[in-house]
Amino acid sequence: MADSLEDKSVGIVLAPRGSEEVEFTEPKSAVEDAGGSVDVLGIETGEVETVNGDLDPAGSYEIEKSFDEVTVEDYDGLVVPGGTVGADTLRGDDTAVEFVQDFFETEKPLAVICHGPWTLVEADVVDGRELTSYHSLETDIRNAGGNWVDEEVVVDEGLVTSRNPDDLEAFCDKVVEEIEEGEHEDRQTDDV
């Protein structure tokens, strides 16, 4: 597995503030440990602060590229961490939502954890999909047409979702596996 993602490029999204640190750092490390390269993406470039448990300050990280500077074609996979404030900020930003929606339509692996599926709901891509999230998003996902299940990791045609930081080991394993597999041609939105 050390080089299973050699020549693969992955974008990992950070919000301007409030992304859950381990949901960013662990998938990033998993991709890099598997030989992939990672770009940290966000609404705008610059330093951002992450959190632990939504409330406690964690680390400071650099957003290397804004959504306006890249295209979905630049990446073989995309990861969207959670964090209540971070996920809420991302779902309220048109460029973030459009990037996630466009990425979903490429049929490339898209991995989202915890509160991150709020962005999927806002991007209108959960209808007919089976996914999981932090338990408080269950109603949002069901109202958007998704089939919410309570499992540590769910994969639906390359869409990888997990509930919370306790699921990170399974989530990271599936992130690497799905990016290694590549595009999932059966994944389409109802309006595509």
Side-chain angles (χ1 to χ4, degrees):
M1 181 143 117
D3 292 326
S4 65
L5 298 185
E6 186 176 3
D7 300 324
K8 300 282 187 178
S9 181
V10 177
I12 299 185
V13 176
L14 279 180
R17 63 183 174 89
S19 293
E20 190 70 24
E21 183 172 73
V22 294
E23 295 172 1
F24 162 70
T25 58
E26 290 196 22
K28 183 176 186 292
S29 292
V31 168
E32 291 171 338
D33 289 349
S37 64
V38 174
D39 284 340
V40 182
L41 308 177
I43 297 167
E44 56 186 37
T45 58
E47 287 287 311
V48 296
E49 301 291 325
T50 58
V51 293
N52 288 323
D54 275 331
L55 301 173
D56 299 322
S60 178
Y61 298 92
E62 181 78 21
I63 293 178
E64 300 163 330
K65 297 178 182 180
S66 71
F67 298 120
D68 292 333
E69 296 176 279
V70 296
T71 68
V72 295
E73 289 79 21
D74 295 333
Y75 300 102
D76 300 295
L78 184 68
V79 178
V80 182
T84 307
V85 171
D88 191 49
T89 301
L90 290 172
R91 75 174 174 163
D93 183 85
D94 291 342
T95 59
V97 171
E98 184 177 329
F99 192 84
V100 168
Q101 183 178 49
D102 290 348
F103 199 89
F104 180 86
E105 291 173 2
T106 69
E107 301 175 346
K108 298 175 191 175
L110 173 57
V112 188
I113 187 169
C114 201
H115 284 80
W118 265 339
T119 310
L120 299 176
V121 169
E122 197 65 34
D124 197 25
V125 298
V126 301
D127 191 22
R129 300 279 156 224
E130 183 170 278
L131 63 156
T132 194
S133 66
Y134 193 73
H135 65 87
S136 64
L137 277 65
E138 177 181 355
T139 300
D140 296 336
I141 289 168
R142 289 190 191 282
N143 286 343
N147 178 29
W148 188 89
V149 295
D150 186 13
E151 296 177 17
E152 69 176 354
V153 65
V154 176
V155 181
D156 184 336
E157 296 297 334
L159 176 62
V160 180
T161 54
S162 282
R163 300 172 298 193
N164 58 56
D166 292 340
D167 300 333
L168 275 165
E169 184 176 347
F171 180 73
C172 291
D173 287 348
K174 284 297 181 185
V175 166
V176 170
E177 180 182 319
E178 292 299 310
I179 293 170
E180 184 178 0
E181 287 179 12
E183 292 182 22
H184 290 72
E185 295 177 10
D186 294 333
R187 182 175 76 202
Q188 295 180 11
T189 58
D190 290 338
D191 58 354
V192 172

